[in-house]
PDB file of all heavy atoms in Angstrom:
ATOM      1  N   LEU A 217       2.364   9.598 -40.869  1.00 98.00           N
ATOM      2  CA  LEU A 217       0.903   9.627 -40.785  1.00 98.00           C
ATOM      3  C   LEU A 217       0.291  10.391 -41.947  1.00 98.00           C
ATOM      4  O   LEU A 217       0.872  11.384 -42.422  1.00 98.00           O
ATOM      5  CB  LEU A 217       0.463  10.280 -39.471  1.00 98.00           C
ATOM      6  CG  LEU A 217       0.755   9.508 -38.182  1.00 98.00           C
ATOM      7  CD1 LEU A 217       0.459  10.369 -36.951  1.00 98.00           C
ATOM      8  CD2 LEU A 217      -0.065   8.214 -38.137  1.00 98.00           C
ATOM      9  N   PRO A 218      -0.893   9.971 -42.417  1.00 97.00           N
ATOM     10  CA  PRO A 218      -1.611  10.749 -43.425  1.00 97.00           C
ATOM     11  C   PRO A 218      -1.903  12.149 -42.891  1.00 97.00           C
ATOM     12  O   PRO A 218      -1.998  12.361 -41.679  1.00 97.00           O
ATOM     13  CB  PRO A 218      -2.908   9.960 -43.635  1.00 97.00           C
ATOM     14  CG  PRO A 218      -2.626   8.602 -43.105  1.00 97.00           C
ATOM     15  CD  PRO A 218      -1.627   8.755 -42.021  1.00 97.00           C
ATOM     16  N   GLU A 219      -2.056  13.094 -43.774  1.00 96.00           N
ATOM     17  CA  GLU A 219      -2.271  14.487 -43.370  1.00 96.00           C
ATOM     18  C   GLU A 219      -3.440  14.615 -42.401  1.00 96.00           C
ATOM     19  O   GLU A 219      -3.371  15.373 -41.423  1.00 96.00           O
ATOM     20  CB  GLU A 219      -2.528  15.355 -44.617  1.00 96.00           C
ATOM     21  CG  GLU A 219      -2.472  16.843 -44.350  1.00 96.00           C
ATOM     22  CD  GLU A 219      -1.080  17.316 -43.938  1.00 96.00           C
ATOM     23  OE1 GLU A 219      -0.086  16.724 -44.405  1.00 96.00           O
ATOM     24  OE2 GLU A 219      -1.000  18.284 -43.152  1.00 96.00           O
ATOM     25  N   SER A 220      -4.509  13.883 -42.637  1.00 96.00           N
ATOM     26  CA  SER A 220      -5.703  13.989 -41.805  1.00 96.00           C
ATOM     27  C   SER A 220      -5.539  13.364 -40.419  1.00 96.00           C
ATOM     28  O   SER A 220      -6.383  13.547 -39.546  1.00 96.00           O
ATOM     29  CB  SER A 220      -6.898  13.339 -42.500  1.00 96.00           C
ATOM     30  OG  SER A 220      -6.654  11.952 -42.708  1.00 96.00           O
ATOM     31  N   GLU A 221      -4.447  12.601 -40.224  1.00 98.00           N
ATOM     32  CA  GLU A 221      -4.252  11.918 -38.945  1.00 98.00           C
ATOM     33  C   GLU A 221      -3.034  12.414 -38.177  1.00 98.00           C
ATOM     34  O   GLU A 221      -2.669  11.860 -37.148  1.00 98.00           O
ATOM     35  CB  GLU A 221      -4.116  10.405 -39.192  1.00 98.00           C
ATOM     36  CG  GLU A 221      -5.365   9.776 -39.794  1.00 98.00           C
ATOM     37  CD  GLU A 221      -5.204   8.292 -40.052  1.00 98.00           C
ATOM     38  OE1 GLU A 221      -4.237   7.697 -39.504  1.00 98.00           O
ATOM     39  OE2 GLU A 221      -6.015   7.726 -40.802  1.00 98.00           O
ATOM     40  N   LYS A 222      -2.410  13.478 -38.651  1.00 98.00           N
ATOM     41  CA  LYS A 222      -1.217  13.986 -37.989  1.00 98.00           C
ATOM     42  C   LYS A 222      -1.548  14.587 -36.621  1.00 98.00           C
ATOM     43  O   LYS A 222      -2.629  15.134 -36.410  1.00 98.00           O
ATOM     44  CB  LYS A 222      -0.526  15.039 -38.864  1.00 98.00           C
ATOM     45  CG  LYS A 222       0.115  14.482 -40.122  1.00 98.00           C
ATOM     46  CD  LYS A 222       0.877  15.552 -40.874  1.00 98.00           C
ATOM     47  CE  LYS A 222       1.424  15.031 -42.188  1.00 98.00           C
ATOM     48  NZ  LYS A 222       2.417  13.966 -42.011  1.00 98.00           N
ATOM     49  N   ILE A 223      -0.588  14.488 -35.708  1.00 98.00           N
ATOM     50  CA  ILE A 223      -0.720  15.104 -34.387  1.00 98.00           C
ATOM     51  C   ILE A 223      -0.679  16.619 -34.560  1.00 98.00           C
ATOM     52  O   ILE A 223       0.259  17.165 -35.136  1.00 98.00           O
ATOM     53  CB  ILE A 223       0.425  14.648 -33.464  1.00 98.00           C
ATOM     54  CG1 ILE A 223       0.387  13.133 -33.270  1.00 98.00           C
ATOM     55  CG2 ILE A 223       0.357  15.379 -32.112  1.00 98.00           C
ATOM     56  CD1 ILE A 223       1.647  12.572 -32.627  1.00 98.00           C
ATOM     57  N   ARG A 224      -1.711  17.284 -34.037  1.00 98.00           N
ATOM     58  CA  ARG A 224      -1.822  18.731 -34.217  1.00 98.00           C
ATOM     59  C   ARG A 224      -1.340  19.519 -33.002  1.00 98.00           C
ATOM     60  O   ARG A 224      -0.842  20.641 -33.135  1.00 98.00           O
ATOM     61  CB  ARG A 224      -3.267  19.114 -34.537  1.00 98.00           C
ATOM     62  CG  ARG A 224      -3.757  18.615 -35.902  1.00 98.00           C
ATOM     63  CD  ARG A 224      -5.229  18.933 -36.090  1.00 98.00           C
ATOM     64  NE  ARG A 224      -5.707  18.593 -37.423  1.00 98.00           N
ATOM     65  CZ  ARG A 224      -5.774  19.450 -38.443  1.00 98.00           C
ATOM     66  NH1 ARG A 224      -5.345  20.681 -38.286  1.00 98.00           N
ATOM     67  NH2 ARG A 224      -6.252  19.065 -39.605  1.00 98.00           N
ATOM     68  N   ALA A 225      -1.541  18.983 -31.815  1.00 98.00           N
ATOM     69  CA  ALA A 225      -1.186  19.708 -30.597  1.00 98.00           C
ATOM     70  C   ALA A 225      -0.746  18.718 -29.530  1.00 98.00           C
ATOM     71  O   ALA A 225      -1.177  17.561 -29.523  1.00 98.00           O
ATOM     72  CB  ALA A 225      -2.356  20.544 -30.095  1.00 98.00           C
ATOM     73  N   VAL A 226       0.109  19.183 -28.611  1.00 98.00           N
ATOM     74  CA  VAL A 226       0.596  18.358 -27.509  1.00 98.00           C
ATOM     75  C   VAL A 226       0.305  19.071 -26.191  1.00 98.00           C
ATOM     76  O   VAL A 226       0.690  20.228 -26.003  1.00 98.00           O
ATOM     77  CB  VAL A 226       2.104  18.084 -27.622  1.00 98.00           C
ATOM     78  CG1 VAL A 226       2.559  17.150 -26.501  1.00 98.00           C
ATOM     79  CG2 VAL A 226       2.443  17.485 -28.982  1.00 98.00           C
ATOM     80  N   SER A 227      -0.366  18.377 -25.286  1.00 98.00           N
ATOM     81  CA  SER A 227      -0.679  18.890 -23.947  1.00 98.00           C
ATOM     82  C   SER A 227       0.396  18.430 -22.975  1.00 98.00           C
ATOM     83  O   SER A 227       0.622  17.232 -22.811  1.00 98.00           O
ATOM     84  CB  SER A 227      -2.064  18.375 -23.510  1.00 98.00           C
ATOM     85  OG  SER A 227      -2.317  18.687 -22.160  1.00 98.00           O
ATOM     86  N   VAL A 228       1.050  19.391 -22.315  1.00 98.00           N
ATOM     87  CA  VAL A 228       2.129  19.087 -21.371  1.00 98.00           C
ATOM     88  C   VAL A 228       1.851  19.846 -20.073  1.00 98.00           C
ATOM     89  O   VAL A 228       2.053  21.053 -19.999  1.00 98.00           O
ATOM     90  CB  VAL A 228       3.512  19.491 -21.928  1.00 98.00           C
ATOM     91  CG1 VAL A 228       4.627  18.996 -21.007  1.00 98.00           C
ATOM     92  CG2 VAL A 228       3.700  18.976 -23.346  1.00 98.00           C
ATOM     93  N   SER A 229       1.395  19.150 -19.056  1.00 97.00           N
ATOM     94  CA  SER A 229       1.010  19.805 -17.804  1.00 97.00           C
ATOM     95  C   SER A 229       2.210  19.950 -16.872  1.00 97.00           C
ATOM     96  O   SER A 229       2.287  19.365 -15.788  1.00 97.00           O
ATOM     97  CB  SER A 229      -0.110  19.008 -17.120  1.00 97.00           C
ATOM     98  OG  SER A 229      -1.311  19.108 -17.854  1.00 97.00           O
ATOM     99  N   ALA A 230       3.165  20.771 -17.328  1.00 96.00           N
ATOM    100  CA  ALA A 230       4.376  21.013 -16.552  1.00 96.00           C
ATOM    101  C   ALA A 230       5.099  22.231 -17.107  1.00 96.00           C
ATOM    102  O   ALA A 230       4.902  22.603 -18.269  1.00 96.00           O
ATOM    103  CB  ALA A 230       5.304  19.795 -16.594  1.00 96.00           C
ATOM    104  N   ASP A 231       5.941  22.839 -16.273  1.00 96.00           N
ATOM    105  CA  ASP A 231       6.877  23.868 -16.716  1.00 96.00           C
ATOM    106  C   ASP A 231       8.261  23.235 -16.701  1.00 96.00           C
ATOM    107  O   ASP A 231       8.942  23.223 -15.676  1.00 96.00           O
ATOM    108  CB  ASP A 231       6.823  25.084 -15.786  1.00 96.00           C
ATOM    109  CG  ASP A 231       7.857  26.141 -16.173  1.00 96.00           C
ATOM    110  OD1 ASP A 231       8.605  25.920 -17.154  1.00 96.00           O
ATOM    111  OD2 ASP A 231       7.922  27.189 -15.491  1.00 96.00           O
ATOM    112  N   LEU A 232       8.663  22.719 -17.826  1.00 97.00           N
ATOM    113  CA  LEU A 232       9.914  21.966 -17.920  1.00 97.00           C
ATOM    114  C   LEU A 232      11.142  22.856 -18.042  1.00 97.00           C
ATOM    115  O   LEU A 232      12.259  22.357 -18.205  1.00 97.00           O
ATOM    116  CB  LEU A 232       9.831  20.998 -19.101  1.00 97.00           C
ATOM    117  CG  LEU A 232       8.819  19.862 -18.888  1.00 97.00           C
ATOM    118  CD1 LEU A 232       8.437  19.215 -20.209  1.00 97.00           C
ATOM    119  CD2 LEU A 232       9.380  18.824 -17.921  1.00 97.00           C
ATOM    120  N   THR A 233      10.948  24.171 -17.955  1.00 95.00           N
ATOM    121  CA  THR A 233      12.083  25.096 -17.952  1.00 95.00           C
ATOM    122  C   THR A 233      12.361  25.640 -16.558  1.00 95.00           C
ATOM    123  O   THR A 233      13.230  26.496 -16.391  1.00 95.00           O
ATOM    124  CB  THR A 233      11.822  26.269 -18.909  1.00 95.00           C
ATOM    125  OG1 THR A 233      10.684  27.018 -18.454  1.00 95.00           O
ATOM    126  CG2 THR A 233      11.569  25.781 -20.320  1.00 95.00           C
ATOM    127  N   ASN A 234      11.648  25.159 -15.563  1.00 95.00           N
ATOM    128  CA  ASN A 234      11.837  25.606 -14.186  1.00 95.00           C
ATOM    129  C   ASN A 234      13.087  24.941 -13.607  1.00 95.00           C
ATOM    130  O   ASN A 234      13.082  23.761 -13.265  1.00 95.00           O
ATOM    131  CB  ASN A 234      10.600  25.254 -13.349  1.00 95.00           C
ATOM    132  CG  ASN A 234      10.648  25.851 -11.957  1.00 95.00           C
ATOM    133  OD1 ASN A 234      11.713  26.115 -11.416  1.00 95.00           O
ATOM    134  ND2 ASN A 234       9.477  26.061 -11.376  1.00 95.00           N
ATOM    135  N   THR A 235      14.160  25.721 -13.486  1.00 95.00           N
ATOM    136  CA  THR A 235      15.440  25.147 -13.066  1.00 95.00           C
ATOM    137  C   THR A 235      15.476  24.776 -11.587  1.00 95.00           C
ATOM    138  O   THR A 235      16.439  24.138 -11.138  1.00 95.00           O
ATOM    139  CB  THR A 235      16.587  26.124 -13.370  1.00 95.00           C
ATOM    140  OG1 THR A 235      16.306  27.398 -12.755  1.00 95.00           O
ATOM    141  CG2 THR A 235      16.750  26.303 -14.869  1.00 95.00           C
ATOM    142  N   GLU A 236      14.464  25.163 -10.839  1.00 96.00           N
ATOM    143  CA  GLU A 236      14.395  24.711  -9.457  1.00 96.00           C
ATOM    144  C   GLU A 236      14.173  23.200  -9.398  1.00 96.00           C
ATOM    145  O   GLU A 236      14.581  22.530  -8.446  1.00 96.00           O
ATOM    146  CB  GLU A 236      13.270  25.439  -8.725  1.00 96.00           C
ATOM    147  CG  GLU A 236      13.147  25.066  -7.249  1.00 96.00           C
ATOM    148  CD  GLU A 236      12.051  25.830  -6.524  1.00 96.00           C
ATOM    149  OE1 GLU A 236      11.427  26.729  -7.141  1.00 96.00           O
ATOM    150  OE2 GLU A 236      11.826  25.518  -5.337  1.00 96.00           O
ATOM    151  N   TYR A 237      13.537  22.666 -10.430  1.00 95.00           N
ATOM    152  CA  TYR A 237      13.182  21.249 -10.442  1.00 95.00           C
ATOM    153  C   TYR A 237      13.828  20.460 -11.571  1.00 95.00           C
ATOM    154  O   TYR A 237      13.946  19.234 -11.477  1.00 95.00           O
ATOM    155  CB  TYR A 237      11.661  21.102 -10.533  1.00 95.00           C
ATOM    156  CG  TYR A 237      10.924  21.841  -9.450  1.00 95.00           C
ATOM    157  CD1 TYR A 237      10.222  23.005  -9.738  1.00 95.00           C
ATOM    158  CD2 TYR A 237      10.951  21.383  -8.142  1.00 95.00           C
ATOM    159  CE1 TYR A 237       9.541  23.690  -8.736  1.00 95.00           C
ATOM    160  CE2 TYR A 237      10.280  22.063  -7.135  1.00 95.00           C
ATOM    161  CZ  TYR A 237       9.575  23.216  -7.439  1.00 95.00           C
ATOM    162  OH  TYR A 237       8.919  23.894  -6.451  1.00 95.00           O
TER     163      TYR A 237
END
Side-chain angles (χ1 to χ4, degrees):
L217 292 171
E219 192 65 32
S220 62
E221 297 179 15
K222 291 185 185 296
I223 299 167
R224 293 175 174 265
V226 183
S227 172
V228 187
S229 291
D231 176 0
L232 292 161
T233 63
N234 188 334
T235 55
E236 182 178 355
Y237 305 107

